[in-house]
């Protein structure tokens, strides 16, 4: 009985280790991972497990175009272990709705079997009140959401594999500044999705400075034979907090003092700009005065500009002047367009 039980657990572990297409896992890697989990089997036994046992009952495919052979599940393989419950299905449907505007299609494609299971479960329970929620709930992003940039599936597979396995990658990258392709060796340190673009944070070649590479500009990626180099002390959260993705204009925080219209004050009461924020009613007015400490980044400034006449910035003076200069340029452009229309 213990032998039968151990064999069953080995089979279950194998099934958990094999990815869906387009993922692949080589037989020696499977063997190594099994041994790490305490299953002492040889290569011949592993091959027998895969070909003569599991492949007969599961849609396992062997890629024998190169050695060592690599294994993967059919792309459409559906797993019902464990069974999906209704709240989880609803959560997945809502998550799919929200992620459509954030993640590239190839990333959502990796989750498509789980999303399909969730839709199927809810569709099969039309009489259940909970299943009706999928028709009545939507996730709407804040602000104008651009369509996610398209990322090649093989690029996504290579970058994520390199990131998880601490490997360097060789890429062919389209430089936005030079508008041509460059071949680079990257040492990935992190992956960040920001709005509709996903970036790999990496060092290049022998350099130690961190740079960001948009995945949709990577047109070819392969695992490099160069050893991966770790950036000592790198912390992704600290990297982001230092303004790497926020277009920070200085390392110092700024004190924002502004008069805000009633609707903006209401918005900031419910969803503050920061934890330490105060709103003070102005005398003889429905407006309120906002006081808050914030990072000196362009995102906040852009948000203020988007509020238009509903916000009057008092401090910092540099922001106040920039907003005024923008308003003057808009008025000047409008006047110019009016003059052109009149002339024609």
């Amino acid at each position: 009985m213990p032998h039968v039980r151990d064999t069953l657990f080995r089979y279950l572990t194998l099934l958990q280790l094999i990815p869906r297409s387009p993922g692949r896992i080589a037989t020696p890697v499977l063997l190594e991972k099994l041994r790490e989990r305490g299953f002492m089997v040889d290569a011949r036994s592993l091959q027998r497990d895969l070909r003569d046992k599991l492949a007969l009952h599961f849609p396992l495919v062997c890629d024998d175009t190169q050695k060592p052979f690599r294994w993967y599940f059919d792309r459409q393989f559906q797993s019902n272990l464990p069974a999906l419950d209704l709240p989880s299905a609803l959560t997945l449907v809502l998550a799919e709705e929200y992620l459509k505007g954030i993640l590239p299609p190839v990333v959502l494609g990796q989750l498509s079997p789980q999303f399909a299971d969730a839709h199927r479960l809810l569709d099969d329970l039309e009489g259940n009140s909970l299943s009706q929620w999928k028709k009545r709930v939507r996730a709407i992003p804040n602000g104008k959401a651009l369509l996610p940039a398209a990322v090649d599936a093989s690029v996504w597979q290579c970058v994520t594999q390199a990131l998880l396995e601490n490997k360097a990658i060789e890429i062919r990258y389209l430089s936005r500044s030079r508008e041509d392709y460059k071949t680079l060796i990257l040492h990935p340190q992190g992956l960040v999705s920001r709005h509709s673009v996903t970036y790999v944070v990496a060092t290049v070649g022998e350099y130690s400075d961190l740079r960001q590479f948009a995945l949709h500009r990577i047109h070819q990626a392969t695992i490099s034979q160069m050893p991966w180099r770790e950036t000592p002390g790198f912390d992704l959260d600290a990297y982001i907090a230092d303004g790497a993705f926020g277009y920070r204009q200085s390392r110092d925080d700024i004190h924002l003092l502004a008069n805000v219209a009633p609707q903006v004050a209401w918005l900031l009461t419910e969803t503050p700009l920061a934890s330490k924020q105060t709103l003070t009613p102005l005398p003889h007015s429905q407006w309120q005065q906002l006081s808050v400490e914030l990072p000196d980044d362009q995102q906040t400034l852009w948000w203020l500009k988007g509020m238009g006449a509903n916000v009057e910035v008092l401090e910092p003076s540099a922001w106040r002047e920039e907003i005024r200069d923008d308003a003057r340029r808009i008025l000047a452009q409008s006047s110019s367009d009016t003059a052109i229309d009149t002339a024609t």
Side-chain angles (χ1 to χ4, degrees):
M1 185 63 70
H3 174 72
V4 174
R5 182 186 61 190
D6 291 345
T7 302
L8 175 60
F9 286 160
R10 186 172 78 245
Y11 289 167
L12 290 174
T13 302
L14 263 176
L15 293 173
Q16 291 174 331
L17 290 172
I18 299 172
R20 284 190 183 92
S21 179
R24 302 284 194 277
I25 187 167
T27 307
V29 177
L30 275 174
L31 188 63
E32 179 183 352
K33 290 183 178 296
L34 281 177
R35 289 173 176 172
E36 288 175 355
R37 288 158 174 77
F39 299 102
M40 297 298 120
V41 295
D42 56 30
R44 186 180 297 274
S45 297
L46 175 58
Q47 289 283 4
R48 189 163 51 247
D49 287 347
L50 291 167
R51 290 188 181 278
D52 301 337
K53 303 293 183 182
L54 298 179
L56 295 178
H57 303 283
F58 294 92
L60 282 175
V61 182
C62 178
D63 180 357
D64 55 6
T65 58
Q66 58 180 298
K67 291 187 176 181
F69 294 167
R70 298 176 300 166
W71 292 85
Y72 61 95
F73 276 111
D74 181 87
R75 178 73 176 150
Q76 301 303 319
F77 173 58
Q78 302 290 325
S79 174
N80 295 317
L81 293 174
L84 193 64
D85 58 26
L86 277 174
S88 298
L90 179 59
T91 302
L92 281 170
V93 169
L94 294 178
E96 179 188 23
E97 188 79 17
Y98 177 72
L99 293 174
K100 281 179 181 177
I102 299 176
L103 297 177
V106 64
V107 183
L108 292 176
Q110 299 287 330
L111 298 172
S112 61
Q114 288 86 347
F115 292 146
D117 282 345
H119 283 284
R120 189 178 300 106
L121 178 59
L122 294 178
D123 289 342
D124 289 345
L125 295 172
E126 287 295 332
N128 185 294
S129 59
L130 186 59
S131 70
Q132 301 304 308
W133 274 94
K134 71 164 187 169
K135 301 177 181 178
R136 303 172 186 169
V137 181
R138 294 294 180 270
I140 302 175
N142 186 21
K144 174 60 179 176
L146 303 178
L147 293 177
V151 177
D152 184 86
S154 63
V155 168
W156 174 258
Q157 179 70 27
C158 180
V159 171
T160 52
Q161 178 187 348
L163 188 67
L164 294 174
E165 298 179 2
N166 293 338
K167 295 183 181 296
I169 56 175
E170 182 175 330
I171 67 168
R172 189 165 176 261
Y173 191 72
L174 176 62
S175 171
R176 187 172 65 175
S177 58
R178 298 182 182 179
E179 297 184 354
D180 62 358
Y181 288 98
K182 297 186 293 184
T183 300
L184 304 169
I185 299 293
L186 302 189
H187 303 274
Q189 309 293 319
L191 197 67
V192 175
S193 287
R194 183 178 183 273
H195 301 315
S196 54
V197 178
T198 301
Y199 301 87
V200 56
V201 180
T203 57
V204 183
E206 300 302 318
Y207 297 98
S208 59
D209 57 311
L210 290 163
R211 295 173 58 187
Q212 301 161 13
F213 297 87
L215 290 194
H216 65 276
R217 294 196 202 108
I218 300 177
H219 286 248
Q220 186 177 350
T222 56
I223 298 295
S224 172
Q225 298 301 314
M226 295 287 291
W228 176 76
R229 287 192 301 105
E230 183 178 9
T231 299
F234 175 72
D235 182 275
L236 187 58
D237 289 329
Y239 178 74
I240 295 171
D242 284 342
F245 288 91
Y247 302 105
R248 193 161 183 140
Q249 301 177 116
S250 72
R251 290 189 171 273
D252 299 326
D253 288 346
I254 56 97
H255 176 235
L256 174 63
L257 188 67
N259 295 334
V260 298
Q263 60 269 33
V264 179
W266 186 278
L267 171 68
L268 295 178
T269 299
E270 296 182 328
T271 54
L273 284 172
S275 56
K276 295 181 179 179
Q277 165 192 288
T278 61
L279 285 164
T280 306
L282 293 171
H284 314 297
S285 173
Q286 293 184 320
W287 283 49
Q288 298 190 43
Q289 188 165 93
L290 166 70
S291 178
V292 62
E293 295 288 329
L294 293 168
D296 183 9
D297 61 43
Q298 291 185 359
Q299 282 183 300
T300 306
L301 182 55
W302 291 340
W303 181 81
L304 290 167
K305 290 179 180 180
M307 288 295 167
N310 291 308
V311 173
E312 180 191 7
V313 174
L314 306 176
E315 297 177 5
S317 58
W319 284 18
R320 177 182 176 88
E321 288 306 314
E322 183 171 339
I323 292 172
R324 282 185 168 183
D325 288 343
D326 276 3
R328 294 188 187 102
R329 283 193 292 269
I330 291 171
L331 287 173
Q333 184 177 8
S334 178
S335 300
S336 175
D337 291 343
T338 302
I340 292 173
D341 291 340
T342 303
T344 55

